[in-house]
Amino acid sequence: MEFTYIGKNVPRPDAVAKATGKVRFLDDLRLPGMLHAAFLRPTHAHAKILSIDTAEAERMPGVVKVVTGRDIRFRYGENIKDRLPLAVGKVRWIGEPVAAVIAETVREARAAVGKIVARYEPLPVYVDARDAMKEDAVLIHEESGTFEHLPGMEAVPGTNIAGRYTLRKGDVDEGFRRAEVVVEGEFNYPFGSSGAIEPHGAVALFHEDGTIEIWSSSICPFIVREDVAHVYGLPASAVRVHIPEVGGCFGYKSDVTIEQTVAYVASFVPGRPVKWVATRQEDLLSTLIGHGMRTRIRIGARRDGTLTALRTTVIHSTGASKDTGIHVLIAATHNSTGAYEFPHCLLEGLSVYTNTPPVGAYRGYGHQESQFAVERMMDILARRLGMDPFALREKNYLGPGRTTSLGERLWESNGDVRKCAAVIREIVFSRPKAAAEDDRYYYGRGFAALMKSPKGAPFSSKSCYLKFNADGSVSINMGGAEVGQGLRTVVRQVAAEALRIPPERIAVYTEIDTQFSPWEWQTIGSMFTIQGGRSVIRAAEKAIAMMKRTAAQVLRVDEDRLVYDGEHIFLNHDPSVRVAVAKLARGYMYDDGVTVGEVVHATSDTRLPRQSNPDACGQGTMGITYTFGAQACELRIEKATGRVIIDHLASCFDVGRVINPRQIRGQVTGGAMMAIGATLYEELRFRPDGTAVNPHFRKYGFPTVREMPGRWTVEFVETPEHIGPYGARGIGEHPVIGVAPAILNAIHDAIGVEFYEIPVTPEKIKKALEEKGKN
């Protein structure tokens, strides 16, 4: 199929404004009468609050109000209501807000916070789920059994187990009886931060008429609106949420995070907006973090490499709240098969309360954590079998006619991991390794296959409002949040293709406002291109049909005899009988002023077909659309320091259809770089008492341009999808999934040492080499 605009390097519509600094982020907002909030954070990660003395803070210059959690009577959360806007009675993690100061300036608010005196009685602290699960562990949430929750989201009363998910496929015991070889291991993906360049922030205003208005750097305005409305007993229409430009997300700006806290504080000063923007330390400790997953995995196989069984246990240190982490755990658990078919599975996930910041979405959403384990184990299994690792994988890849752990049968339109693996194998492994080592370095190569499914609510949808203007140009409004992924470019190109007009004639929305924007659940799961793009096509088709109905009256022919080409609607056998699109946009006006036909604007939405919640076995149509891929790296390890240098990182994904080549390449290289950081450098570390070791960028360990691979290879396979626009499927999160196992497999290839956790730092490599030398 030939395309005019799909597959072309159309410029981003927001590129100039961003490059010149003209876009407005949340911290650029200046509202009349604006006040500023600052928060007191605890000195203990788990403690009873004995007293809070605010007297001196209240007397500080510029202070309008000091707020504590003393009178809070509600909890919030979308899946389980286990969150509080301010601490009540006890603190559960080091970044929890204990009290707030509202003042005329940020400086005055922060100065007054320093005058609040809080006294605590320390309690035992658990920063690891394994400790929090012990029988004698003190409860972090004593009342967890009473929390309001969605079906299947309940905690285990009397324990720190916040939730469970179990998936059964076949008979795992029978699968292991059939196995001739069994391998097992335990892998750890530690805490980390999405670390967007713009920290979290919000502004809340309680109007005198009882309505509420909120501005937030969030990607889920409609969820924020409904959650705030529920808490304050208002109809959703009485709460208005604005989303200005968002300076990056990578997951942790989904779900309700800080909005309820800022709203609660603002409720004490009706008529005046209250603004709070996180410091970098608050962004790392007081919003959402990622990971904290330990995966125990056991694989059974026949001697010919046929996989027979998989037993996985994912233990998630979900932090002081599980509301934002439970679905990350579920995704990690049912996707722990990776890109392979296992006929028999028992996959279990445990969400465990810990005295650490709440875990939420992070790019990859559970997939990279558990597939790190399965891809490492595939290499280990291949060595046990004495089998080529590519042959082992090839024998067991998911594909047409095979079934996932969820029981979903795959079709050709789900994509082709074999083609992706073949591309990467040819690029990286078709020639012998130049050398095993030389005087300065060890050399290694590693491979990993991957799979990603979406993770969202079955009712989730992406909506589109499309309007033709009087000159035939088009304006499009949607509810998807642009966070740097290039969503607006996709909308423009898909609309241009569907409407057959140049992208320059299509204006795409630049902000979200729940009063005007069409509804969208939230912008997650790498699903906007699939669902949002399909919604654009549906709206375009509706608009064209409307114009054809009017043109049929004007030209006095049946609608099915008419053809649309972007500029005109004309008779199929005689193009000279035509009417211009611009003359139909607001109905057709005759010379005498009489007007017929409709104003051309259309709405549409798209949800995944037949998406469901899990059944009693943990299975269901929870995947539906899949993206497969393969990644590999070539690296060297400096003998003197243990430093890992990535010389080449190669990625290939079956994306169905490339919408914008330049943009998708940026997605892949950016995602892979993020994963290199997690694999070799990044970890948000906590001491045994729950205090943070490195809650700032200077010590956190982000990679820089100096740590980039010496060479990138980015390739794509295009097996058209049946849902997405023109066959396209998601790609935003996928590049982070296979990088860690590919690097660790390459490290083993270089030095023969197995690593089971990340980050693999130079110190760890040096220690491993020293221990290996002793044996």
Side-chain angles (χ1 to χ4, degrees):
M1 184 176 181
E2 293 294 323
F3 296 102
T4 305
Y5 304 110
I6 296 298
K8 306 298 191 298
N9 287 320
V10 173
R12 294 173 64 121
D14 52 7
V16 173
K18 285 183 174 178
T20 57
K22 298 296 177 62
V23 298
R24 297 181 71 217
F25 297 93
L26 183 118
D27 200 26
D28 295 317
L29 295 180
R30 303 289 186 270
L31 302 177
M34 180 177 284
L35 298 171
H36 298 268
F39 294 95
L40 175 71
R41 310 290 175 180
T43 53
H44 301 275
H46 195 199
K48 293 180 182 178
I49 300 174
L50 300 179
S51 64
I52 304 175
D53 184 350
T54 63
E56 188 175 355
E58 290 167 357
R59 294 192 294 268
M60 291 288 288
V63 171
V64 176
K65 187 74 176 178
V66 180
V67 182
T68 69
R70 180 180 57 194
D71 298 321
I72 291 174
R73 298 292 182 267
F74 69 89
R75 292 179 179 273
Y76 69 93
E78 189 182 10
N79 299 291
I80 183 168
K81 297 190 182 302
D82 63 357
R83 302 202 67 179
L84 292 161
L86 294 173
V88 178
K90 68 184 291 190
V91 294
R92 295 175 173 86
W93 90 93
I94 202 68
E96 186 171 12
V98 174
V101 172
I102 309 170
E104 297 290 344
T105 69
V106 175
R107 180 173 293 182
E108 289 170 335
R110 290 175 179 170
V113 164
K115 300 300 181 180
I116 300 174
V117 179
R119 294 175 56 245
Y120 305 95
E121 179 184 316
L123 295 169
V125 173
Y126 310 108
V127 297
D128 189 309
R130 296 171 298 176
D131 296 322
M133 288 193 296
K134 291 178 180 176
E135 287 188 10
D136 61 349
V138 171
L139 297 183
I140 294 172
H141 286 282
E142 296 86 350
E143 64 276 46
S144 64
T146 67
F147 292 160
E148 184 181 341
H149 58 81
L150 295 179
M153 297 290 170
E154 64 275 5
V156 179
T159 76
N160 284 320
I161 297 175
R164 294 179 184 269
Y165 169 71
T166 302
L167 184 151
R168 295 178 178 85
K169 176 188 178 186
D171 181 343
V172 76
D173 292 332
E174 176 61 23
F176 280 111
R177 280 193 291 271
R178 295 179 182 177
E180 296 172 306
V181 175
V182 175
V183 292
E184 53 191 317
E186 182 170 317
F187 298 83
N188 186 41
Y189 217 106
F191 293 124
S193 174
S194 296
I197 193 169
E198 178 203 31
H200 283 75
V203 178
L205 170 59
F206 281 65
H207 289 286
E208 292 88 339
D209 63 2
T211 61
I212 301 172
E213 197 163 4
I214 292 173
W215 292 256
S216 176
S217 57
S218 169
I219 63 171
C220 57
F222 291 94
I223 292 178
V224 171
R225 180 185 68 166
E226 290 159 16
D227 206 55
V228 170
H230 174 78
V231 163
Y232 293 97
L234 296 172
S237 57
V239 178
R240 181 179 180 183
V241 179
H242 306 260
I243 307 297
E245 200 74 41
V246 179
C249 172
F250 309 114
Y252 77 151
K253 291 179 181 175
S254 63
D255 302 302
V256 180
T257 54
I258 48 89
E259 293 81 11
Q260 285 284 16
T261 295
V262 178
Y264 180 72
V265 171
S267 71
F268 287 85
V269 286
R272 298 192 70 178
V274 176
K275 179 180 183 180
W276 175 78
V277 176
T279 64
R280 185 55 64 184
Q281 180 165 317
E282 287 176 316
D283 197 58
L284 286 166
L285 299 181
S286 302
T287 60
L288 296 177
I289 62 174
H291 314 312
M293 279 194 181
R294 187 171 294 273
T295 303
R296 296 170 181 166
I297 186 168
R298 188 168 185 249
I299 294 175
R302 304 290 293 176
R303 294 198 184 281
D304 67 355
T306 303
L307 299 175
T308 63
L310 174 66
R311 175 78 166 86
T312 299
T313 302
V314 180
I315 301 172
H316 191 199
S317 299
T318 197
S321 165
K322 86 158 185 186
D323 176 57
T324 54
I326 184 60
H327 286 292
V328 182
L329 170 76
I330 292 171
T333 305
H334 73 70
N335 286 293
S336 63
T337 60
Y340 309 102
E341 183 183 47
F342 289 87
H344 304 284
C345 300
L346 177 57
L347 315 178
E348 294 183 294
L350 293 172
S351 176
V352 183
Y353 287 125
T354 50
N355 297 117
T356 50
V359 172
Y362 180 104
R363 191 176 192 174
Y365 208 83
H367 292 70
Q368 71 268 45
E369 294 90 341
S370 60
Q371 291 187 38
F372 167 53
V374 76
E375 278 301 318
R376 288 288 293 115
M377 291 302 290
M378 291 301 284
D379 261 32
I380 292 169
L381 176 60
R383 287 193 287 274
R384 279 283 303 275
L385 293 169
M387 190 173 182
D388 177 77
F390 287 101
L392 173 63
R393 289 177 166 90
E394 181 75 22
K395 193 176 187 68
N396 295 284
Y397 279 137
L398 285 166
R402 295 197 167 188
T403 58
T404 68
S405 66
L406 293 168
E408 292 180 291
R409 182 178 178 180
L410 296 184
W411 307 88
E412 183 179 353
S413 61
N414 290 119
D416 196 331
V417 65
R418 287 177 169 81
K419 286 185 179 178
C420 295
V423 169
I424 294 300
R425 187 176 185 181
E426 175 63 26
I427 291 169
V428 178
F429 298 91
S430 60
R431 63 191 185 283
K433 194 166 60 169
E437 63 177 297
D438 57 27
D439 292 342
R440 293 187 62 191
Y441 301 105
Y442 298 104
Y443 295 87
R445 302 183 296 191
F447 172 88
L450 63 101
M451 170 272 288
K452 189 182 184 300
S453 64
K455 187 71 187 80
F459 61 82
S460 170
S461 189
K462 314 287 185 191
S463 302
C464 176
Y465 171 67
L466 185 151
K467 174 179 64 178
F468 266 85
N469 301 307
D471 61 354
S473 65
V474 171
S475 300
I476 295 178
N477 195 9
M478 300 182 75
E482 170 61 71
V483 295
Q485 79 276 48
L487 169 157
R488 294 170 184 144
T489 318
V490 170
V491 170
R492 213 179 197 189
Q493 286 186 249
V494 170
E497 195 69 48
L499 296 170
R500 303 176 201 173
I501 63 176
E504 297 76 19
R505 291 180 59 77
I506 299 169
V508 181
Y509 65 104
T510 56
E511 59 184 282
I512 304 171
D513 181 340
T514 56
Q515 181 165 296
F516 303 112
S517 301
W519 179 78
E520 176 167 327
W521 181 56
Q522 54 180 329
T523 312
I524 64 165
S526 304
M527 291 305 297
F528 188 88
T529 293
I530 295 175
Q531 291 177 278
R534 174 58 62 186
S535 294
V536 170
I537 291 175
R538 287 177 173 177
E541 290 172 344
K542 285 184 179 181
I544 292 168
M546 292 172 71
M547 289 188 288
K548 283 186 175 181
R549 284 195 295 271
T550 302
Q553 297 179 61
V554 174
L555 301 177
R556 292 176 291 181
V557 296
D558 295 328
E559 290 176 40
D560 61 2
R561 302 288 302 278
L562 295 174
V563 176
Y564 166 87
D565 70 357
E567 295 295 327
H568 298 89
I569 291 180
F570 55 86
L571 193 59
N572 56 6
H573 70 281
D574 184 358
S576 66
V577 179
R578 65 184 187 178
V579 59
V581 165
K583 290 187 175 182
L584 297 170
R586 295 179 179 174
Y588 183 84
M589 181 186 293
Y590 289 97
D591 292 341
D592 61 1
V594 173
T595 304
V596 297
E598 304 168 271
V599 174
V600 182
H601 54 168
T603 60
S604 65
D605 72 283
T606 301
R607 60 174 49 91
L608 293 181
R610 296 178 57 79
Q611 187 175 12
S612 73
N613 288 321
D615 60 19
C617 291
Q619 295 182 304
T621 50
M622 297 159 62
I624 303 169
T625 177
Y626 292 83
T627 300
F628 290 95
Q631 294 177 288
C633 79
E634 298 176 274
L635 57 76
R636 56 202 153 106
I637 300 172
E638 193 172 47
K639 292 181 176 181
T641 64
R643 182 168 64 105
V644 175
I645 302 164
I646 308 294
D647 290 317
H648 180 203
L649 198 139
S651 301
C652 181
F653 297 93
D654 189 341
V655 297
R657 182 76 63 194
V658 172
I659 301 291
N660 187 305
R662 182 168 53 213
Q663 185 163 290
I664 198 171
R665 178 181 171 82
Q667 279 278 27
V668 172
T669 55
M673 193 66 195
M674 193 171 180
I676 289 171
T679 306
L680 299 177
Y681 308 103
E682 299 177 39
E683 180 182 2
L684 187 58
R685 293 180 286 130
F686 296 91
R687 301 180 182 92
D689 66 358
T691 57
V693 175
N694 57 337
H696 35 72
F697 281 179
R698 183 165 51 87
K699 290 188 177 180
Y700 176 68
F702 281 122
T704 69
V705 67
R706 291 190 298 271
E707 286 76 47
M708 283 182 63
R711 181 162 65 99
W712 295 98
T713 299
V714 179
E715 299 289 343
F716 300 102
V717 171
E718 294 182 288
T719 307
E721 228 266 350
H722 67 284
I723 303 171
Y726 307 108
R729 54 172 64 86
I731 187 59
E733 298 171 272
H734 310 69
V736 306
I737 298 172
V739 173
I743 291 176
L744 267 64
N745 287 341
I747 289 174
H748 181 275
D749 182 53
I751 61 175
V753 176
E754 303 284 11
F755 285 95
Y756 295 86
E757 65 178 16
I758 55 174
V760 181
T761 62
E763 294 78 15
K764 291 178 182 178
I765 289 181
K766 285 285 287 182
K767 182 179 179 181
L769 287 171
E770 289 168 5
E771 291 177 354
K772 183 182 179 184
K774 294 175 184 177
N775 297 329

